[in-house]
């Protein structure tokens, strides 16, 4: 059995560890879903300019948290200032195109305004797409230049590495604009219908964490770009129902076991106008995983993933001819994860991560693909490669580890050395959850931090961890939006359970004025599915948790086997059997809760969205869970209805694993409901399509089984906007009150 370091997990006891206001107020749904955000001024998308003199970030407007502006702060003296005022530039935000709506849904972007931006390599410009057009902010003079003003949306805009061009996709083709002259050059012109250039296909955006379909070479000589042909993909007619009516969308949706889009890769010589096709092999039924350039631009590296996702090849490509050679391969009997842990070095070597030891670690390779040495090792996983200082050989990465042992509930930034064996050294303090954006030379980083009593903070640090300046201190003190409510917030408890040789972590928060001699109902929050980020973290939690504790509920969450970025064995526990081992672990959690004297074992509910909605349905139909009620939001209910890359990674195909697919189908289980069900779904969901819920609706009605239903016209895979989310949470609280709360029978 592997050990998990939890010696300090219980340092936060059940009492309040928050700042105390004189008369702490009761938090209400109306305040949670109002302006300004209770999280305070949180910086999003923080990045350091290439020259290290400016930090840029996105900040929600105080008068409307749904709109983001672009801000900047000097790394030396001086106060942060607003660089782009979204409403000033585009006061009347129009309707986005269907393609841009879908792209933002894939990227989980729910806000408007400046939702993304990018630097050029010299740090002279910041490029910011805004409501379908593109704006360029110049460091010198601070001027803002509008580059496009067209009816079409310009998407995935980038400044070229040396700052001479801006590129973007318009009407399914790639366009390059010369910044000096303003002249546009159409790199492709064949985009139309089912053919798209330079855009990541649906599967890449939704499941592969790849949001772009083109890549500039460092010297601006070449652009690698993908061509997508959706002709083979099945049409799944989808009703897009809004408050004003309904339309049928002929969506190309690649369901498990069915054909994917055909993706090809080309390299364009920008000046010569010549394009060559990259040899990705004879098999076209593959995934284009990642694309990277060498430092000198003479080599293109391509990660090619097999359809069954058990093989990941690294190809070295000659950009002048498109000829390729496999130089390294990763394999697994379950699946090989895609990551962004590839780094080409100036001397031709490269860094890449794999799970060959059972844990994800970083390795140094020669240019020919031979592995030189392990940079990291141990019974803990590297979460991300954050930066490399080639001069010193230092490698910077994030990991959930302390004293050489796994600690899943925390995350820190560490450094190791690629040229010699060295014990990793923590750069950031322990005790919470850190993420970091390291600059190109790995001499500084922007660190984001939170813990259960510290709202998200952002600051600029030297690479040794010395803070240079706050970007958003966001201190929880008088004047902070959450301060009036902090005194009624009890700090969470953390603990562990053992399941089949694996250590599971949990988090629990109790109501204000908690009395251990009384009994309380419990809301089990769940996601439960494969994910790159843990749900149980020693981090700032959503303020909606306090809505539940204020209503008198204990809030509990367990990360079951399969959930979170841990060992390969932990993640692959659910391979070919989703909906089984996860429920087994949640039963373990429910039994643990029932063993506590202050838990009312007849009043336990579960709530979750997406995979969490699936888990809620499966748990409510599992007699050993004994749930009184459950809320299932946008649940996948039969995995053959879901997409290829996600479903086949964990379940193989319906043809190869019919028993696994049958066992995870929620419909045959509905006779076993142990309590009341609230089913929710967006009526324009293009990810987990509404058919997943209509199957449940139809089956329950045919069985004359009562249930409750809330559908959201015009909403996709999430419920957006303060007003609708307020309604959603009023519905949650009302349902819970009637089934496990003060009004429960």
């Amino acid at each position: 059995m592997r050990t998990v370091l939890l010696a300090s997990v219980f340092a936060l006891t059940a009492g309040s560890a928050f700042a105390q206001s004189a008369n702490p107020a009761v938090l209400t749904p109306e305040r949670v879903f109002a302006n300004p955000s209770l999280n305070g001024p949180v910086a999003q998308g923080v990045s350091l300019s290439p020259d290290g003199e400016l930090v840029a970030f996105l900040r929600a407007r105080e008068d409307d948290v749904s709109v983001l502006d672009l801000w900047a702060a000097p790394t030396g003296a001086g106060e942060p200032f607003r660089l782009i005022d979204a409403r000033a530039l585009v006061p009347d935000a129009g309707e986005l195109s269907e393609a841009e709506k879908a792209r933002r849904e894939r990227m989980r972007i729910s806000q408007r305004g400046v939702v993304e931006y990018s630097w050029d390599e010299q740090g002279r410009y910041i490029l910011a797409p805004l409501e379908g057009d593109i704006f360029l902010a110049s460091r010198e003079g601070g001027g803002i230049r509008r580059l496009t003003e067209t009816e079409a949306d310009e998407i995935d805009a980038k400044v070229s590495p040396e700052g001479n061009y801006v590129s973007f996709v318009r009407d399914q083709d790639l366009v390059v604009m010369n910044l000096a002259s303003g002249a546009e050059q159409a790199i492709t012109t064949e985009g139309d219908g089912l053919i798209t250039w330079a855009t990541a296909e649906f599967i890449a955006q939704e499941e592969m964490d790849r949001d772009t379909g083109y890549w500039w070479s460092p010297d601006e000589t070449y652009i690698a770009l993908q061509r997508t042909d959706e002709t083979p993909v099945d049409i799944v007619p989808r009703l897009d129902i809004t408050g004003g009516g309904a339309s049928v969308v002929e969506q190309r949706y690649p369901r498990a076991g069915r054909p994917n889009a055909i993706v090809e890769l080309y390299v364009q010589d920008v000046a010569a106008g010549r394009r060559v096709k990259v040899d990705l092999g004879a098999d076209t039924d593959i995934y284009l995983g990642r694309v990277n350039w060498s430092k000198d631009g003479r080599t293109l590296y391509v990660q090619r993933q097999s359809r069954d996702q058990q093989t990941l090849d690294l190809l070295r490509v000659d950009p002048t001819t498109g000829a390729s050679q496999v130089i390294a391969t990763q394999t697994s009997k379950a699946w090989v994860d895609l990551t962004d842990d590839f780094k080409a070095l100036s001397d031709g070597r490269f860094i890449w991560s794999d799970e060959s030891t059972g844990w994800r670690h970083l390795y140094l390779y020669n240019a020919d693909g031979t592995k030189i040495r392990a940079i990291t090792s141990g019974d803990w996983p590297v979460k991300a490669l954050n930066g490399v200082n080639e001069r010193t050989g230092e490698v910077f990465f994030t990991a959930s580890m302390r004293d050489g042992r796994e600690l899943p509930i925390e995350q820190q930034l560490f450094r190791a050395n690629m040229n010699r064996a060295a014990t990793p050294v923590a750069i950031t303090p322990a005790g919470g959850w850190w993420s970091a954006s390291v600059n190109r030379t790995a001499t500084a980083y922007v660190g984001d931090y939170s813990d259960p009593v510290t709202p998200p903070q952002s600051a600029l640090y030297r690479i040794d961890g010395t803070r240079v300046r706050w970007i958003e201190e966001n201190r929880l003190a008088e004047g902070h939006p959450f301060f009036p409510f902090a005194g009624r917030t009890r700090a969470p408890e953390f603990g562990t359970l053992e399941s089949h040789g694996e250590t599971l972590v949990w988090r629990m928060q109790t109501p204000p004025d908690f009395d251990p001699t009384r009994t309380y109902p419990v809301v089990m929050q769940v996601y439960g599915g494969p994910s790159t980020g843990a749900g149980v973290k020693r981090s700032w939690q959503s303020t909606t948790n306090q809505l539940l504790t204020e209503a008198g509920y204990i809030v509990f969450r367990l990360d079951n086997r399969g959930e979170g970025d841990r060992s390969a064995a932990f993640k692959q526990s659910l391979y070919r059997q989703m909906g089984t081992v996860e429920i087994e672990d949640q039963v373990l959690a429910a039994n643990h809760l029932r063993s506590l004297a202050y838990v009312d074992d007849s009043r336990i509910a579960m709530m979750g969205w997406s995979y969490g909605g699936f888990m809620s349905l499966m748990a409510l139909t599992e007699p050993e869970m004994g749930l009184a009620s459950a809320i299932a939001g946008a649940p996948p209910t039969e995995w053959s209805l879901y997409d290829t890359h996600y479903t086949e990674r964990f379940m193989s195909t319906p043809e190869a694993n019919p028993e696994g697919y049958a066992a995870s189908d929620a419909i045959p289980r509905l006779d076993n409901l142990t309590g009341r069900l609230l089913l929710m779904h967006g009526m324009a969901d293009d990810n987990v399509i509404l058919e997943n819920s209509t199957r449940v609706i139809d089956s329950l009605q045919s069985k004359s089984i009562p249930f409750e239903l809330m559908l959201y016209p015009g909403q996709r895979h999430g419920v957006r906007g303060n007003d609708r989310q307020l309604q959603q949470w009023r519905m949650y609280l009302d349902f819970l009150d009637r089934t496990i709360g003060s009004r429960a029978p």
Side-chain angles (χ1 to χ4, degrees), residues 24-25 27 74 109 151 164 178 410 453 475 508 522 543 553 708 727:
L27 188 63
I109 294 174
E151 292 186 5
N164 294 311
N178 186 302
E410 295 184 6
V453 297
R475 189 164 61 93
M508 182 168 65
V522 178
T543 51
Y553 304 114
E708 298 183 37
Q727 188 277 342

Side-chain angles (χ1 to χ4, degrees), residues 197-251:
W197 284 93
T199 301
E201 74 276 22
F202 171 90
I203 283 296
Q205 294 181 39
E206 180 61 41
E207 307 299 357
M208 296 163 60
D209 199 24
R210 179 168 66 79
D211 301 318
T212 189
Y214 72 99
W215 302 263
W216 281 94
S217 67
D219 60 1
E220 300 183 347
T221 299
Y222 302 110
I223 301 176
L225 68 163
Q226 80 173 68
R227 178 185 185 270
T228 305
D229 181 358
E230 289 191 293
T231 303
V233 182
D234 293 337
I235 296 175
V236 178
R238 173 175 60 83
L239 274 177
D240 194 326
I241 304 172
T242 70
S247 59
V248 177
V249 177
E250 300 290 327
Q251 183 174 348

